[in-house]
Amino acid sequence: MKIHILHSIKIILFTVSLLLGATQSGPTPVYYSNQVAILMYHHIVDKPEKPHMLPVKQFRQHMEMLKTNGFNVISMDQYIDFMTRGTAIPNNAVLLTFDDGYDSFYTHAYPILKEYGYTATNFVIVSFIDNRIGIPKLTWDQMREMKEEGMSFYSHTYDSHKYAPINAKGVERPMLSHRLYLKDKKRVETQKEYIKRITDDLALAEKRLREELGNTRGGVAFPYGTFNDEVLEVLKSMGIEITFTIKKGMTTKKDINALRFDAGNIEYTAEKLAELLKGQGKSSAL
């Protein structure tokens, strides 16, 4: 008799605990829908030396915040389908992006992303991968390994992530979106020369990504976030419809050039990032 009573009490307590848990957790709030919050990161490091070097611990806190607050990380394929085909995406959709192709994506970010079951895209400066330039970058082998686990890699141009002179005085501007000064000819590029230069650069980046990773879709993150009508026309002629800027805001199907939040800035604690994203139902650009 006592055993039956104790068993009944345990069942009652278990049921109550489930009910309390359901009441406490409740359904996930909808902060926004039919929009994507695209987060931009750069370098994930142990000891940051610059504002855009995010500590590993802080990046992990960001990922934990997304999980515990009901945000849904989507893949680049899901994002492209949403933008080009109108395919449905979950509420509170988040796209994780990284710029520049630093090897810290493999050594520091990738293990954390796998732990949370998240996917992310890295926009690589392809010439830096081919020629091993500057701060250690990803290798093609590393990217192939990560692609097998759901990561994706797209273009940050082949070799146009630079400032270059636009006149004889040496004034410099981002070279993808400006006609350059040709020192040996003592003149500025013609429109035809400019279009050929940027076309060759963007096409080579896509070619190398197809050769090494088997990419079948294209997308470009503009260096420094700058672009012009000529760049857009060149990309359109190449069949590339998906582009990314560094302007803050939520991205809807109307935003051909995607907006991104600079989550890789050390000032964005997990709490501050959560507050920012949760406020997007009230404001599309904070």
Side-chain angles (χ1 to χ4, degrees):
M1 183 69 175
K2 288 182 179 179
I3 293 175
H4 289 300
I5 293 173
L6 288 172
H7 183 64
S8 298
I9 292 172
K10 286 181 180 179
I11 292 175
I12 293 170
L13 290 174
F14 179 68
T15 303
V16 170
S17 69
L18 287 178
L19 290 172
L20 287 174
T23 301
Q24 289 171 354
S25 59
T28 301
V30 176
Y31 309 122
Y32 52 85
S33 59
N34 294 315
Q35 301 179 81
V36 183
I38 306 178
L39 305 186
M40 176 177 63
Y41 295 93
H42 286 81
H43 207 4
I44 309 299
V45 298
D46 290 315
K47 296 180 180 180
E49 299 173 359
K50 296 179 180 179
H52 284 86
M53 292 183 176
L54 196 70
V56 176
K57 180 179 179 181
Q58 194 166 337
F59 178 69
R60 179 184 290 278
Q61 291 169 344
H62 282 193
M63 299 303 101
E64 179 66 19
M65 179 279 293
L66 294 176
K67 178 183 177 181
T68 58
N69 285 274
F71 290 98
N72 295 297
V73 174
I74 63 173
S75 69
M76 180 60 82
D77 279 337
Q78 286 177 286
Y79 173 76
I80 294 175
D81 287 342
F82 167 68
M83 293 295 289
T84 62
R85 302 177 184 176
T87 304
I89 54 171
N91 295 326
N92 309 332
V94 172
L95 180 67
L96 302 175
T97 68
F98 290 71
D99 284 7
D100 301 336
Y102 296 115
D103 77 338
S104 64
F105 181 71
Y106 180 77
T107 58
H108 294 338
Y110 176 49
I112 296 173
L113 291 167
K114 283 205 299 181
E115 181 182 329
Y116 283 89
Y118 291 161
T119 180
T121 289
N122 202 308
F123 294 104
V124 300
I125 307 167
V126 183
S127 67
F128 287 16
I129 309 299
D130 278 345
N131 302 310
R132 317 306 303 152
I133 297 173
I135 296 172
K137 303 298 190 300
L138 296 169
T139 67
W140 291 116
D141 283 340
Q142 288 172 335
M143 286 188 274
R144 279 187 282 269
E145 176 189 334
M146 289 187 282
K147 191 174 180 185
E148 289 294 320
E149 296 293 332
M151 307 301 136
S152 58
F153 302 88
Y154 288 86
S155 171
H156 208 17
T157 74
Y158 187 80
D159 195 27
S160 291
H161 197 301
K162 301 174 183 177
Y163 272 67
I166 60 169
N167 58 34
K169 296 180 179 180
V171 174
E172 295 189 341
R173 293 289 184 272
M175 63 186 297
L176 181 68
S177 53
H178 290 79
R179 289 162 58 183
L180 303 184
Y181 181 73
L182 305 176
K183 188 175 181 180
D184 58 334
K185 297 180 180 179
K186 298 182 179 180
R187 64 172 175 81
V188 174
E189 286 177 310
T190 64
Q191 184 74 354
K192 184 177 180 180
E193 289 170 332
Y194 167 61
I195 295 298
K196 183 180 186 307
R197 173 172 61 80
I198 63 173
T199 300
D200 289 348
D201 181 277
L202 294 167
L204 181 55
E206 295 301 317
K207 177 175 180 288
R208 294 295 292 131
L209 289 164
R210 286 194 302 271
E211 290 173 344
E212 296 289 348
L213 304 178
N215 278 18
T216 57
R217 301 175 116 170
V220 176
F222 299 124
Y224 317 107
T226 67
F227 61 95
N228 57 29
D229 289 341
E230 288 87 349
V231 171
L232 295 179
E233 279 299 314
V234 167
L235 290 174
K236 184 178 179 181
S237 72
M238 295 168 58
I240 296 175
E241 301 175 77
I242 300 299
T243 55
F244 297 78
T245 69
I246 60 174
K247 184 179 178 181
K248 284 185 179 181
M250 296 294 290
T251 300
T252 70
K253 280 181 279 192
K254 296 179 180 179
D255 298 304
I256 298 174
N257 301 310
L259 311 175
R260 294 193 285 174
F261 294 105
D262 187 14
N265 191 310
I266 198 169
E267 293 182 2
Y268 271 110
T269 62
E271 293 76 15
K272 185 176 179 180
L273 184 60
E275 182 181 356
L276 173 72
L277 297 182
K278 287 179 180 181
Q280 295 314 304
K282 301 173 183 178
S283 173
S284 61
L286 294 182

